Amino acid sequence: MKSLISATAAFIATISLTTTVQAANTEHVKQLLATKQCQNCDLTGAGLVLADLSGANLSGANLTGANLSRANLSGADLRGANLSGAGLFGVNLSEAKLSGANLTNADLRNSYLANAQLTGAYLNGVNFQGAVGIPSQIASPEDFYAWGVAEAEKGNQQQAITYFNQAIAIKPKYAGAYLARGIARYQALDREGAFQDAQIAEQLFTSQNNSPGSQTAQAFMKELQRRPDEKVSTGSPSFFDFLGSLSSVLLQLLQF
């Protein structure tokens, strides 16, 4: 019985120690919220949802696992900060300084990154889905393409087009991105823009010897040339009306 009590006490002590180690320094949290000055602070696991931290000095701070969802960090100094595993959903990081920051496995979905400085930042495992203003140098054309497809599936055509634009800017001969952008434009009721993209996609697919892609682009152009009153269905077309079950084409679009 004594051994059981001792073991239980040891376990509780271990849990308590772990909690203490992982909890944010409350004085540092108060200091941050009161002054916006918290260089090298210990803010591990801090709850800072919706906090107004615009222009705050958090350089070198430890924000591991902190919840900063929808916080305003515009213009904040986060150089060298540790944000690994941090919740940054919907956060405003426009103009923020993040050079050398550790953002490993951070959640940056739906965040705002316009003009954010990310030189030398560690970005392994970061979730950028739905983020606005992602610097082109931190993601591949395929990343932007995949994010664009995901946004288009959700009906966010303008955001999808923005992602496809970025994919094309990095990789000008990315046929799949042109075709995907054309379909997104079609759903946004820009038939002229859609047709132009489909033409470019068809030419690129042909030059790259991608027959399935070329055939898909041709089918899309043929659909665009039909009069609106010839359509059988009504309402806005689905993003996958012309890609549908062509899973092999979708896979190839990531490469061409």
Side-chain angles (χ1 to χ4, degrees):
M1 185 66 175
K2 287 184 179 180
S3 60
L4 177 59
I5 293 173
S6 298
T8 303
F11 176 73
I12 293 173
T14 301
I15 295 299
S16 299
L17 178 60
T18 302
T19 303
T20 301
V21 170
Q22 294 181 344
N25 184 312
T26 55
E27 292 302 316
H28 287 180
V29 174
K30 292 177 182 177
Q31 176 185 330
L32 172 63
L33 295 175
T35 69
K36 294 188 180 180
Q37 300 295 314
C38 216
Q39 188 174 3
N40 297 317
C41 281
D42 178 12
L43 299 164
T44 309
L48 295 164
V49 176
L50 294 171
D52 180 9
L53 300 172
S54 55
N57 184 355
L58 285 158
S59 59
N62 186 355
L63 288 148
T64 303
N67 188 353
L68 290 145
S69 296
R70 301 194 184 283
N72 182 4
L73 283 161
S74 58
D77 187 349
L78 289 153
R79 289 175 294 181
N82 188 350
L83 290 150
S84 59
L88 296 162
F89 179 90
V91 71
N92 183 356
L93 284 166
S94 56
E95 308 285 345
K97 302 177 182 68
L98 290 151
S99 300
N102 182 2
L103 288 156
T104 304
N105 296 322
D107 180 5
L108 277 159
R109 290 173 299 154
N110 295 351
S111 59
Y112 297 88
L113 297 165
N115 299 314
Q117 299 173 19
L118 287 153
T119 305
Y122 299 90
L123 302 169
N124 291 338
V126 175
N127 187 346
F128 283 111
Q129 183 62 55
V132 176
I134 302 171
S136 296
Q137 67 269 24
I138 70 171
S140 70
E142 290 74 24
D143 288 332
F144 284 114
Y145 171 82
W147 294 330
V149 170
E151 290 301 311
E153 284 186 287
K154 293 186 292 185
N156 300 330
Q157 303 307 324
Q158 292 307 317
Q159 182 58 43
I161 290 168
T162 297
Y163 283 140
F164 295 137
N165 288 343
Q166 288 181 276
I168 292 167
I170 302 170
K171 188 176 179 180
K173 294 185 178 181
Y174 196 165
Y178 277 105
L179 181 57
R181 188 176 70 178
I183 296 170
R185 282 178 166 173
Y186 176 45
Q187 189 172 25
L189 305 180
D190 178 9
R191 294 174 67 89
E192 183 179 351
F195 191 81
Q196 290 174 354
D197 278 345
Q199 282 185 312
I200 296 171
E202 194 277 331
Q203 292 167 5
L204 289 171
F205 279 131
T206 299
S207 68
Q208 294 161 6
N209 297 315
N210 185 332
S211 296
S214 180
Q215 291 169 5
T216 303
Q218 290 170 6
F220 182 36
M221 286 190 290
K222 183 177 181 181
E223 174 66 20
L224 287 168
Q225 290 173 322
R226 298 171 66 181
R227 296 195 312 274
D229 58 3
E230 289 182 313
K231 294 185 180 300
V232 176
S233 59
T234 59
S236 297
S238 165
F239 182 76
F240 286 107
D241 275 350
F242 305 101
L243 298 183
S245 61
L246 298 176
S247 57
S248 61
V249 174
L250 283 173
L251 291 174
Q252 290 181 57
L253 292 183
L254 286 168
Q255 304 298 327
F256 292 89

